[in-house]
Amino acid sequence: MFQKIKEATKNNFGFLAIAVLLFWLKTYLAYQLEFSLGVEGLYQQFLLFINPLAATVFFFGLSLYFSNTKSRHRSLVVFYFLNTALLFGNILYYREFSDFVTLKTILGSSAMMGGLSASFFQMLEWRDLLYWVDFFFIVRLYWKYRPSFATKPPVKKRTATAVLISALLIFSANLSLAEIDRPQLLTRTFDRNYIVKYLGINVYTMYDGIQTARANSVRASADGSDLAPVLDYVEQHYTEPNEALFGQAQGRNVVYIHLESMQQFLIDLELQEENGEINAVTPFLNELYHSSDSYSFSNVFHQTAQGKTSDAELLLDNSLFGLAQGSAFTQLGADNIFQAGPQIMKSHGYTNAVFHGNVGSFWNRDNTYKSMGYDYFFSSETSYNLTPENSVEYGLKDKLFFQESIQYLEQLPQPFYSKFITVSNHFPFPADEMNTVFDIPDTEDTTINGYFNTVHYADQALAEFFQYMKESGLYDNTMFVLYGDHFGISNSRNRTLAPLLDQSSVMWGDYDDAMVQRIPLIIHVPGSETGGIQDTFGGQVDILPTVLHLLGVDTSTHIQLGQDLLSSEREQIVAFRNGNVVSPDYTSIGPAVYDTKTGQMIFIDPNNPSELSNEIDHLREAAQQQLHISDQILNGDLLRFYTPSNFERVDKQAISYLDSPQRLRENLEALGFENTSLMGQNNSQSTVDLYQTDAPEFPGNQPLDTNSLLDEESE
C-alpha cells in the first residue's frame, strides 16, 4: 500500500488524487461528528457523502494551472491548509454557536472572532487531531518526494481546465439530486444547515459570499419608494397598548440590565450542591420574577443570530432583527440611520447612557451607540479600572462593574434611559476561586459546571445593585427592564444539561433545543402592584414597544416590528433567524412541526393540503415576512427616508465618548440649578458610600446578605 502511495505521489495527478480523497473523507467525518444537519434517510446520507467532492476537486484542481511542477505541488499544500483551516474554523464556531461562519463574520466581526480566540483552548477536543493529521501527512509526502517533482512535465492548460469542468459537472449532478429532495434549494433557503447538508461547506461559503455582495448592493440602490411596503407592514401589525397600563411608568428613569447568557430555565431552578444542600441558582431573580411589581414573561425567546449580544441590543433598542449573516453593529452600525429607544426618549427629556466594563470598540459599540442616540458611553478605556484580579475575559466582573458605575449613574440628569451590560456570566464560564459561590455535582462538561457558578455570582451582583438603588432613593422612581441576551448553554451541550432540568438526555431533541431558547424578561415597576407572570409568547423584538407604552410614548408613527407584550391584540408569532417559528399552538423547526404545549411531533402531508397545513404555512410566512421587512430596513438603510412625528434625528457629530465622565461633569456644571441628577438633589454629596458589595477584590467589605431584599418592599 505504501509503495502504491509512493508511486502515486510521484505521478502528475497522484498527489492531487490523494489530497482530494483525504480531504473528502475528512469532511464527511466532520459532518458526522461535529454538525447537526438533520440528515434523514439513505438518500440524504448519500448526498452528504458526495457533496464535498465537487468543491474539493475544483479548489485543489486550481493548483494544476501552475506551470512549474514544484510550484504546482506547493500550491496544493497551501490549498489543502486553507480548506482545512476553513473546515476547522467552522467546527469550532459550530461547537459553540450551532451555526456556520459567514463571510461577514470573518471580515467584519472582529468582536465575535476575538471572543472565539479568547475561549479557543476551552473548545478544543482530543478528536480535533483528526482534522489536522492528514494535512501533516500531505506535507510529509510533499517534502519527501519533492525532488522527483522536478522531473515531471507541466500539466497542459486544457487538462487543468478539464479537471475544473469535471468538478462543475459533479456539482451540477449534486445540485440536481439535491433539488429532488429540496426544491428551490438556493432560491428559498433560510437555513444554512440545508446548504451544507446538500451541497457542502465550501459551496455554502461561496453561496454566502454571493449573498453578502448582493446585500451590499441593496443599500446603494435603495430609495424612498422602498419604504412603502415597510410602512404598510408596520401599520397592519401595530397593536394598541393596554389602556390600563399605558403610561404607568411615565416620567420614571429606565434601567435596562443586560443579563449575559441568562436562560429562562434558571428561574426557580434548585440544585443540590456538593455539601448536600438544595439551593436556588438565582434566588434574587426568582423574587423579582414573582414580585407583584413585576411584569414577568415565561414565554419570551431570544431572537439573536450570529451577532449574539449585539443582535440582542439591536432588538432591544430598535425592535429590528439582526442580520442573517454577521452583526449589524459591525456591518451597518456606524452608517445607518436608526430610530432607537434612546433617541426617542431624548425627545421626552431623557438623558441616555450605556455602562459596559469592556473596551468601547467591542462589537463596534463606540460607533453604533452614536447612531442610536446614546449621550454617554462609559467603557473600560475611560471609566473603569481593570486589573487581572477584578476582570474576566470580557471585562470587569459584575459586582465591581455595578459598584464602579454608581459614580456616573448618580450624576446623570433625571429622567435617564440607561443600560448596564454585564459580562461575568459569559462563555467559557471560567472557574474563579475567589468568586466560587455555587457548587453543584460535577457533570462531564466543565462549561456547564462553570455556568451555574457564574450565574449565581451574577444574581448576587444584581441583588447588591438593587440594594443600592433602594438606599440611594433612585429605586422608587425607576423602571427596571432585565432581559437575557441569548443562550448560555449551546445546543451541543443540552443533552448533558438535561438531567439537571429533570429531563431525559436520551429523549432530548430539536423541540427541546428550541424551548430552552426562552430568556428571562422582567419589567419591574416599583409600587405598581399590578404585575404578574405573563404567559404570552413573544421575542426580544417586542420589548421596545412594550417599554415605550409603559412610559406613555405613542409608537404608532414609529417603525418597529415588534408588538406590545401587554396588548391583547398581539399575534404571538415568534420568528427566528434560522427559519424556525414558535407560537402558543405550534412550533416549526425546519420541515418538522410540533405541538408547542406537549412537544409531540405533528405529521403534515405536503401532498394533501388541509386546514392545519394552511395554518402552519401562514405561521411560517408571517415569520419570514417580519424577517424580510427587517432586512429591507437595515440593508437598504430605509429609515433615512422617514422621520416619525415628535422625533429628532441623531447628530452623530455632536456625540463623543472619548471622555464621557469629564463631559458629564462639564454638562452638569453648565446646568447649574437645573441639575436634576441624584447628586444635584443631594447638594453635590455622593452616594457611592451607600453601595455595599462582598466582592473579594474590593478590600474592607463585609459580606452582604442578599436574601429576600424584595421583602423589605412588601413589609
Side-chain angles (χ1 to χ4, degrees), residues 192-209:
R192 284 181 277 272
N193 277 354
Y194 287 170
I195 299 292
V196 176
K197 177 170 71 172
Y198 288 109
L199 301 178
I201 207 160
N202 281 334
V203 173
Y204 154 73
T205 303
M206 290 187 289
Y207 173 82
D208 169 67

Side-chain angles (χ1 to χ4, degrees), residues 229-238 556 558-561:
V230 173
L231 293 174
D232 287 342
Y233 177 89
V234 171
E235 181 180 358
Q236 293 168 10
H237 292 81
Y238 172 76
S556 59
H558 290 278
I559 294 179
Q560 297 172 0
L561 302 189

Side-chain angles (χ1 to χ4, degrees), residues 554-606:
D554 179 10
T555 64
S556 59
T557 62
H558 290 278
I559 294 179
Q560 297 172 0
L561 302 189
Q563 298 179 324
D564 186 342
L565 290 164
L566 297 170
S567 171
S568 60
E569 299 179 1
R570 56 178 286 97
E571 296 174 314
Q572 302 193 70
I573 297 176
V574 187
F576 299 92
R577 287 265 43 157
N578 62 4
N580 295 344
V581 192
V582 172
S583 75
D585 297 317
Y586 306 109
T587 294
S588 171
I589 303 175
V593 178
Y594 300 84
D595 184 307
T596 299
K597 297 182 182 65
T598 66
Q600 294 295 313
M601 184 177 286
I602 300 172
F603 175 74
I604 296 178
D605 187 352

Side-chain angles (χ1 to χ4, degrees), residues 255-320:
V255 171
Y256 280 97
I257 300 180
H258 183 106
L259 303 174
E260 173 64 42
S261 302
M262 288 276 190
Q263 292 176 252
Q264 176 66 14
F265 68 73
L266 295 165
I267 301 297
D268 293 333
L269 179 65
E270 293 184 332
L271 295 176
Q272 184 174 0
E273 298 192 57
E274 290 184 346
N275 60 10
E277 294 183 9
I278 296 177
N279 287 309
V281 180
T282 57
F284 179 73
L285 271 178
N286 295 349
E287 290 195 41
L288 204 63
Y289 183 80
H290 292 285
S291 169
S292 61
D293 289 343
S294 296
Y295 300 100
S296 302
F297 299 87
S298 58
N299 291 308
V300 166
F301 295 75
H302 85 84
Q303 296 171 295
T304 65
Q306 292 185 334
K308 288 297 181 287
T309 294
S310 66
D311 280 359
E313 291 192 68
L314 184 75
L315 284 153
L316 266 291
D317 279 335
N318 298 274
S319 193
L320 296 173

Side-chain angles (χ1 to χ4, degrees), residues 257-262 309 355-357 365 394 396 398 401-402 420-426 458 461-462 485:
I257 300 180
H258 183 106
L259 303 174
E260 173 64 42
S261 302
M262 288 276 190
T309 294
F355 303 84
H356 184 39
R365 287 186 173 102
Y394 293 90
L396 194 62
D398 290 356
F401 165 62
F402 282 121
F420 291 80
I421 302 175
T422 63
V423 300
S424 289
N425 187 45
H426 197 296
L462 282 175
D485 62 342

Side-chain angles (χ1 to χ4, degrees), residues 63 165 346 350 358 424 468 482 489 625 681 694:
S63 65
I165 292 174
K346 189 178 293 187
Y350 277 66
N358 199 353
S424 289
Y468 162 79
L482 299 90
I489 304 300
Q625 184 185 21
Q681 294 175 347
D694 66 358

